[in-house]
Amino acid sequence: MATDLDEPLSDRQKAEIVEGFILDAPPGEFREVLNDVRILLDDDNILTEKGTGVFATYCQEQLTPVRLKGADDATLITKFNVDKTGRYFDPRSRKSFKYDFIKEEAGDILDWTPDEVAEPWRAALQDAWALYAKNHYTNATSAVFASTSDGQITLTACIEGHQLQPKNFCNGRWRSIWTLTFSPSDGKSDLRGEIHVNVHYYEDGNVQLVSHKEIKEPVVIENETSLAKEFVSLVESAESDYQVALSENYTTMSDTTFKALRRPLPVTRTKIDWNKIMSYKIGSELKQQ
């Protein structure tokens, strides 16, 4: 009698495994993971039919930067600026567009009209937010999105900053998302933040740092200008504290915990040649062992 282990994987099961690999792709290594997945699947039809949704999810979760043709500033691919048809919009340039997740480029750019109620609040925050990101982050892209529902305005401010150095076997990304939902007449609300840090270091080994923190701070709401100032001030304080804590924590861990967790060398007692890893025929090598 055949067991589950003996039965071949269905296309659906293969797609689910592929989704896991893609969603866990380290910063700046999406194409490399995608190429590896294609080799493992050996069937581009499965990838095309099943993978489109996960490509979008990955790019949205990673706050992928994109620059529209003719726009002064880049914007971000997120779940906060996509409509029901799958088109994305950039509030600063007032354009909507389609995004090709494989080519990593925008196209079919059209005019877009913002929410009239929320736009004054968004625009005031955007100016302060862009300045904050420029002053505190390297290679950063910032964006502020806004919407109105049942009399409530929601502002979502995002920052993506990255340092990709594949020649040094190290890639990293900072992502922060700050959301405020309020009614201008209430006078107060809560600012909620999510900070994500992911660093992949793979020289003579393979180590990932994945860190996440959620933050909640009260906010007083008077007008667009004062709200933008308080919003940025609270974020600056919270993110600075988090960065300092991360630095202190992992400086200590590098001398203690990390040394206890990982081997100086793999079990083969030889260093991995990462420059040749893509050319290895994994399947045949495994069979020989």
Side-chain angles (χ1 to χ4, degrees):
M1 181 177 180
T3 65
D4 290 341
L5 293 177
D6 297 323
E7 296 177 359
L9 294 175
S10 66
D11 287 352
R12 180 178 179 181
Q13 289 172 316
K14 292 178 181 179
E16 290 176 351
I17 294 173
V18 165
E19 288 178 4
F21 284 139
I22 292 176
L23 291 177
D24 287 337
E29 299 172 44
F30 173 79
R31 286 184 178 274
E32 286 78 4
V33 172
L34 182 59
N35 289 336
D36 288 344
V37 163
R38 291 185 65 194
I39 294 173
L40 291 172
L41 276 179
D42 195 26
D43 188 344
D44 281 352
N45 290 328
I46 296 177
L47 195 60
T48 302
E49 294 174 6
K50 309 292 185 179
T52 304
V54 75
F55 296 161
T57 299
Y58 178 81
C59 289
Q60 290 174 11
E61 289 182 352
Q62 293 296 311
L63 305 183
T64 305
V66 58
R67 184 180 295 274
L68 305 185
K69 184 177 182 180
D72 294 332
D73 301 294
T75 189
L76 297 171
I77 299 296
T78 79
K79 64 181 180 180
F80 308 107
N81 63 323
V82 60
D83 63 22
K84 295 179 180 179
T85 67
R87 292 183 64 87
Y88 295 86
F89 56 86
D90 173 23
R92 275 181 286 189
S93 64
R94 297 197 173 190
K95 301 291 184 179
S96 72
F97 58 94
K98 290 184 178 180
Y99 187 73
D100 189 316
F101 302 103
I102 304 299
K103 295 181 179 179
E104 298 179 310
E105 61 184 26
D108 190 20
I109 301 172
L110 303 173
D111 291 334
W112 175 82
T113 303
D115 185 309
E116 294 182 358
V117 176
E119 179 59 18
W121 298 86
R122 191 210 66 80
L125 178 56
Q126 177 68 74
D127 292 340
W129 191 246
L131 182 60
Y132 165 70
K134 180 180 179 181
N135 289 340
H136 289 78
Y137 293 92
T138 302
N139 298 325
T141 301
S142 64
V144 179
F145 309 109
S147 62
T148 305
S149 178
D150 298 326
Q152 298 278 310
I153 296 173
T154 297
L155 300 175
T156 304
C158 304
I159 289 177
E160 186 276 346
H162 60 264
Q163 195 68 261
L164 307 180
Q165 298 181 339
K167 291 183 178 180
N168 295 324
F169 306 102
C170 184
N171 296 312
R173 172 172 283 140
W174 168 283
R175 292 169 289 151
S176 57
I177 303 169
W178 295 85
T179 303
L180 179 68
T181 298
F182 64 97
S183 172
S185 60
D186 289 344
K188 61 181 180 180
S189 187
D190 289 322
L191 176 63
R192 300 177 184 273
E194 297 178 23
I195 301 175
H196 302 263
V197 177
N198 189 354
V199 179
H200 184 209
Y201 180 72
Y202 49 103
E203 183 177 18
D204 300 336
N206 193 355
V207 178
Q208 280 203 65
L209 158 66
V210 179
S211 182
H212 168 243
K213 184 176 183 179
E214 296 184 1
I215 301 168
K216 178 181 176 181
E217 296 286 351
V219 176
V220 176
I221 301 167
E222 295 180 355
N223 54 57
E224 293 93 329
T225 303
S226 65
L227 176 59
K229 183 177 180 179
E230 185 175 5
F231 190 113
V232 171
S233 178
L234 289 171
V235 171
E236 181 177 19
S237 178
E239 293 191 346
S240 295
D241 289 346
Y242 182 64
Q243 290 178 16
V244 170
L246 269 182
S247 179
E248 293 176 346
N249 188 28
Y250 287 102
T251 296
T252 302
M253 288 185 70
S254 65
D255 295 329
T256 56
T257 309
F258 286 160
K259 288 184 178 180
L261 283 175
R262 60 186 297 268
R263 304 171 185 266
L265 290 173
V267 292
T268 59
R269 308 303 298 169
T270 58
K271 295 181 179 180
I272 296 174
D273 189 342
W274 293 100
N275 292 320
K276 294 182 180 179
I277 198 70
M278 290 300 294
S279 64
Y280 290 167
K281 295 181 179 180
I282 300 174
S284 61
E285 289 185 358
L286 288 176
K287 289 180 181 178
Q288 294 172 6
Q289 293 180 359

